[in-house]
Amino acid sequence: MPAADPAVKNAKNNASSRLPDLKPVEKIALFRQMLIIRRFEEKAKQAFTQGKIKGFCHLYNGQEAVAVGTISVLNEDDAVITAYRDHAHALTRGSDPNACMAELFGRITGCSRGKGGSMHFFDAKRHFYGGHGIVGGQIPLGTGLAFAQKYLGTSRVTLAYMGDGAINQGSVHEAMNLAALWKLPVVYIIENNEYSMGTSQARSSAGDPLTKRAGAFDMAAIQANGMDIDDVRAKTFEAVSLARTESLPTLMEIRTYRYFGHSMSDPGKYRSKEEIEARRRNDPIELYKARLIEQKVATEESLNAIDEEALAIAQASYDFADQSADPEIETVFEDIFAPEDQIAEFRPSPHG
Amino acid sequence: MPTLTYREALNQALSEEMERDERVMLMGEEVAEYDGAYKVSEGLLKKFGPKRIIDTPISETGFSGLAVGAAMYGLRPIVEFMTWSFSLVAYDQIVNNAAQVRYMSGGQFSVPIVFRGSSGGGLQVGATHSHTPENWYANVPALTVITPAFPDDAKGLLKSAIRSNNPVCFLENEKLYGYKDDVPEGEYLTEIGKARVRREGSDFTIVSNSGSTHRALNAAAKLAEEGINAEVIDLRTIKPLDFDTIAASVSRTNRLLIVEENKPFAGWGAQVAYQVQRELFDDLDAPVHRVTSLDVPQPYNGRLEQAVLPNEDRIIAAVRELLA
Ligand SMILES: Cc1ncc(C[n+]2csc(CCOP(=O)(O)OP(=O)(O)O)c2C)c(N)n1
Ligand SMILES: [Mg+2]
């Protein structure tokens, strides 16, 4: 079952207008998408503990409103690129949860054929450009996607995500200057979850808020509350509109929080249990749930039924991954080079 | 003699050298308050304080270059890369600055710096995180490149590296951090540029380094059950290369197998093979054989990654060919 309800994708903006109000069915679709991510990640956590997932596995719990809110204002053919904490972005773009879980298991049915793993999800069909393991490395790429979108005369835009720690890489600053200088339709999104591994923002970044970094480039900057999906949507809509109509970049800082360790192998001694508990009380999914009930968009029972569905999707992805085959050894030699016969002049003549 | 893990041996070397010389300091991501991503610097913040054990932002270009400048000014910095895969972000600072300043300045400036951190594959962390870059750095004329395989060498070589007045790339192996062995206490220095025979044998010679030395020794133990006796040389230092130790062995066994985790094209073994054929051509009873990583990016899937690495099966198959 595809992860993104069509209603999410249809909640697109049309460039010059204000963010349209969501229909009840669209609101429920956003709620559903956040829950699918949460249940998927919990399943991944369990599979990691069982030894079915290896290497690094960075979970998204607590940050769901960021990926779902930002991507919900995109068109289907806009581009998305992010770092290694990438499961949610792929799922929200519409990647099949089965293919995502299978990638975590390293199976041939995975979204990167078992070659990428948790940090390197890709889904070309859904305009998802990865899944990148080197901190800050994806930001020049995202800028290049926007460059190509403009070069080719599309009216598409790119969302390029990074963590609060990544903002201190030179590659990020070089790319932002290029985007501002050349007026590229890219939105840089800092998912500020307050920590880069065990380092708090205060110990890693001079200058607060991080959106100040845009000032030097005369680039638009905007902040959003990442625990409130409606705020995320409203602010992202402004940035996306600026990119789409004026071809101008924006730096967004979305304040959020991750509930689990940096990766599965992080003991998390740098913050207290009390801090995590306090932040969990401001949960983006619970917040939205209460709002939907208050707005009489849905009843508690109907939303709980959606949770049952999300749990089933996560379980189905686990079963699918577990039953999928490992890649054949020969596949190790595939996907390295483009076949030379892609060059028309080198193609063998049909006449022999 | 106390038994220490490779990790503890490195920690001891860092601690002893910092006690000995105030100008030695350590910087890198998560080295201080987190005690190091791989716990190599555990306890050092407590001992030496935040002036000398310094957490950096994720800015490899910036802090590596900063450390090179500080070295030119007389400090003796140790820069930790969380893994050597991330050193690529700092490649320009290492290659164009650390490695060229002495020469370009006609010898006026020294760059006494150690770049260190974990490296190597086999952990299923995919193509961006699994590099084995000793050959990339060994290709740069003024760099010293060290890759210890055992705890005693980890300690002795790191202490020597910190005392060296040259820029040193010190590549630890993530899979070896928990490996235990005897390590001499106190002042114990290992000479840079000297290989070590880790197993004596007469039928053929294996030259290897780092994690591959352990693969070679395991394969050699299996072959010994069949009465085939391998001599295993652990290079320890990739550059300068200890050709004399290799030559002494090969001129006795007349057969050479190289085992390395580098990708094959211009891996360090290609240089060894060149020198052996150039200088020991008449001693050889068979062509030099080489088992390297396969010439493909590192896959995530565990079976595929094991196939890519210079595994024991491929080593034993190569030995059969070498002795045929
Ligand atoms: C160039 C580079 N340096 C270091 C790392 C190791 N590393 C991976 S994630 C991370 C922390 C990043 O924090 P942040 O940007 O805030 O993103 P978050 O994990 O919070 O989503 C570090 C240091 C890396 N992958 N790449
Ligand atoms: Mg962060």
Side-chain angles (χ1 to χ4, degrees):
Chain A
M1 186 185 301
D5 192 294
V8 177
K9 293 187 201 153
N10 291 338
K12 61 176 86 158
N13 64 302
N14 114 24
S16 48
S17 65
R18 55 179 277 276
L19 180 62
D21 289 334
L22 291 177
K23 299 191 195 77
V25 46
E26 292 168 337
K27 291 183 182 178
I28 291 168
L30 294 178
F31 175 78
R32 178 176 180 274
Q33 186 59 52
M34 288 197 286
L35 260 182
I36 289 173
I37 292 166
R38 177 150 306 175
R39 299 309 179 211
F40 179 94
E41 295 290 65
E42 285 165 1
K43 220 6 117 184
K45 187 167 188 275
Q46 182 193 354
F48 190 95
T49 314
Q50 294 170 335
K52 304 223 178 233
I53 298 173
K54 303 283 190 182
F56 290 136
C57 186
H58 306 86
L59 302 178
Y60 202 68
N61 300 50
Q63 304 186 205
E64 294 89 346
V66 180
V68 177
T70 51
I71 290 173
S72 72
V73 305
L74 289 186
N75 295 335
E76 241 177 273
D77 57 3
D78 288 324
V80 168
I81 188 167
T82 187
Y84 45 83
R85 199 179 297 284
D86 59 353
H87 311 166
H89 306 77
L91 289 169
T92 308
R93 267 275 91 172
S95 298
D96 181 356
N98 290 356
C100 292
M101 191 64 82
E103 187 59 36
L104 297 180
F105 280 52
R107 302 301 159 90
I108 190 67
T109 50
C111 60
S112 302
R113 305 185 77 213
K115 286 180 169 169
S118 166
M119 298 191 288
H120 309 116
F121 279 16
F122 289 88
D123 193 339
K125 266 201 207 104
R126 292 172 185 86
H127 304 270
F128 178 59
Y129 288 85
H132 295 269
I134 297 299
V135 170
Q138 77 281 10
I139 298 302
L141 296 191
T143 309
L145 300 174
F147 178 90
Q149 286 167 329
K150 185 175 183 184
Y151 184 99
L152 294 170
T154 75
S155 58
R156 300 173 185 168
V157 305
T158 296
L159 300 191
Y161 298 79
M162 72 193 103
D164 47 293
I167 193 73
N168 296 313
Q169 285 289 37
S171 59
V172 172
H173 291 262
E174 295 181 27
M176 289 200 301
N177 181 52
L178 292 171
L181 191 67
W182 294 342
K183 299 190 174 19
L184 302 179
V186 56
V187 181
Y188 299 111
I189 298 174
I190 306 169
E191 297 196 49
N192 186 349
N193 59 14
E194 301 184 18
Y195 294 92
S196 47
M197 268 184 90
T199 306
S200 65
Q201 183 190 331
R203 294 206 303 118
S204 69
S205 295
D208 186 42
L210 298 174
T211 41
K212 275 191 189 166
R213 308 276 172 114
F217 307 116
D218 282 340
M219 189 192 297
I222 195 166
Q223 294 202 308
N225 173 5
M227 294 297 157
D228 180 345
I229 191 166
D230 287 326
D231 192 53
V232 170
R233 280 172 45 76
K235 304 291 172 49
T236 310
F237 179 79
E238 284 185 39
V240 165
S241 299
L242 189 65
R244 208 183 301 284
T245 58
E246 314 280 334
S247 192
L248 286 172
T250 298
L251 177 62
M252 287 187 78
E253 179 185 6
I254 305 184
R255 308 282 311 201
T256 182
Y257 196 77
R258 70 166 153 73
Y259 295 162
F260 295 137
H262 165 71
S263 70
M264 287 296 296
S265 36
D266 170 20
K269 290 190 194 139
Y270 46 86
R271 55 181 187 177
S272 65
K273 285 210 175 68
E274 292 71 36
E275 175 182 314
I276 300 172
E277 278 318 307
R279 303 304 298 270
R280 271 180 180 272
R281 284 197 285 277
N282 190 26
D283 182 73
I285 298 179
E286 289 303 319
L287 207 84
Y288 199 53
K289 186 177 182 183
R291 188 173 297 159
L292 294 187
I293 294 168
E294 187 193 299
Q295 292 176 348
K296 303 217 173 352
V297 167
T299 61
E300 171 130 36
E301 296 72 54
S302 65
L303 296 180
N304 290 344
I306 289 175
D307 196 7
E308 290 302 317
E309 196 196 331
L311 285 164
I313 288 171
Q315 184 60 47
S317 73
Y318 177 101
D319 295 338
F320 174 83
D322 207 28
Q323 286 153 22
S324 292
D326 260 339
E328 297 294 332
I329 292 293
E330 299 76 61
T331 62
V332 87
F333 297 107
E334 297 169 1
D335 311 312
I336 300 170
F337 293 106
E340 284 303 334
D341 64 7
Q342 286 181 357
I343 304 174
E345 289 77 1
F346 292 174
R347 233 175 258 149
S349 137
H351 312 295
Chain B
M1 214 186 288
T3 302
L4 297 184
T5 62
Y6 184 92
R7 170 189 288 116
E8 288 162 346
L10 292 164
N11 182 277
Q12 202 172 75
L14 290 170
S15 186
E16 288 176 12
E17 291 309 299
M18 289 191 63
E19 253 162 40
R20 201 183 57 83
D21 186 345
E22 287 256 334
R23 296 166 304 168
V24 178
M25 28 77 60
L26 172 71
M27 67 167 66
E29 292 154 19
E30 310 290 352
V31 298
E33 293 195 12
Y34 199 84
D35 271 336
Y38 298 98
K39 304 290 171 248
V40 173
S41 57
E42 189 156 29
L44 296 184
L45 173 66
K46 224 186 220 163
K47 212 166 185 176
F48 298 104
K51 182 182 173 194
R52 297 179 69 195
I53 306 291
I54 305 168
D55 276 328
T56 66
I58 310 169
S59 308
E60 285 85 359
T61 307
F63 66 74
S64 300
L66 178 151
V68 173
M72 290 170 68
Y73 206 80
L75 299 189
R76 306 185 72 83
I78 302 164
V79 170
E80 174 172 313
F81 293 120
M82 196 175 280
T83 83
W84 272 93
S85 289
F86 311 147
S87 77
L88 296 185
V89 178
Y91 200 65
D92 177 57
Q93 295 299 329
I94 302 170
V95 174
N96 267 327
N97 289 343
Q100 316 298 353
V101 158
R102 175 185 293 276
Y103 193 78
M104 290 191 305
S105 66
Q108 294 180 72
F109 289 103
S110 248
V111 185
I113 192 168
V114 177
F115 300 103
R116 51 156 290 273
S118 70
S119 70
L123 291 126
Q124 291 196 250
V125 286
T128 58
H129 279 55
S130 306
H131 294 297
T132 311
E134 48 261 41
N135 58 329
W136 303 345
Y137 289 106
N139 194 250
V140 180
L143 292 178
T144 297
V145 180
I146 297 174
T147 61
F150 288 89
D152 55 350
D153 289 335
K155 175 176 175 180
L157 283 164
L158 184 53
K159 283 170 72 81
S160 300
I162 293 168
R163 294 192 200 181
S164 167
N165 286 324
N166 291 310
V168 177
C169 294
F170 192 94
L171 284 73
E172 298 149 20
N173 189 303
E174 205 168 320
K175 296 205 73 147
L176 298 179
Y177 280 135
Y179 188 93
K180 277 191 188 156
D181 207 355
D182 292 348
V183 177
E185 271 174 295
E187 187 74 354
Y188 175 70
L189 298 174
T190 304
E191 195 180 341
I192 294 171
K194 284 273 175 288
R196 174 160 168 187
V197 177
R198 277 284 174 180
R199 184 184 204 286
E200 290 184 359
S202 51
D203 294 332
F204 69 103
T205 302
I206 299 182
V207 176
S208 55
N209 77 319
S210 191
S212 296
T213 295
H214 295 274
R215 297 182 180 107
L217 287 168
N218 291 342
K222 277 192 193 159
L223 290 162
E225 291 167 18
E226 301 176 26
I228 301 172
N229 283 309
E231 178 141 301
V232 178
I233 298 175
D234 177 23
L235 270 187
R236 305 196 290 189
T237 301
I238 299 298
K239 199 174 184 191
L241 179 71
D242 180 3
F243 187 70
D244 291 346
T245 298
I246 299 171
S249 175
V250 173
S251 56
R252 207 163 23 77
T253 64
N254 312 111
R255 290 169 204 268
L256 173 63
L257 170 67
I258 294 161
V259 182
E260 61 181 314
E261 202 177 310
N262 280 162
K263 308 290 179 186
F265 195 95
W268 61 257
Q271 178 65 24
V272 171
Y274 165 74
Q275 283 180 239
V276 167
Q277 69 80 33
R278 185 72 184 82
E279 297 185 30
L280 302 172
F281 193 73
D282 293 333
D283 288 336
L284 289 175
D285 287 346
V288 175
H289 280 52
R290 233 173 126 215
V291 176
T292 68
S293 284
L294 300 180
D295 199 11
V296 305
Q298 210 83 356
Y300 162 64
N301 174 278
R303 263 177 74 221
L304 295 194
E305 187 176 26
Q306 284 312 313
V308 166
L309 292 168
N311 58 55
E312 266 172 53
D313 291 346
R314 281 170 55 213
I315 294 172
I316 288 175
V319 171
R320 305 234 184 272
E321 253 188 52
L322 181 72
L323 299 182

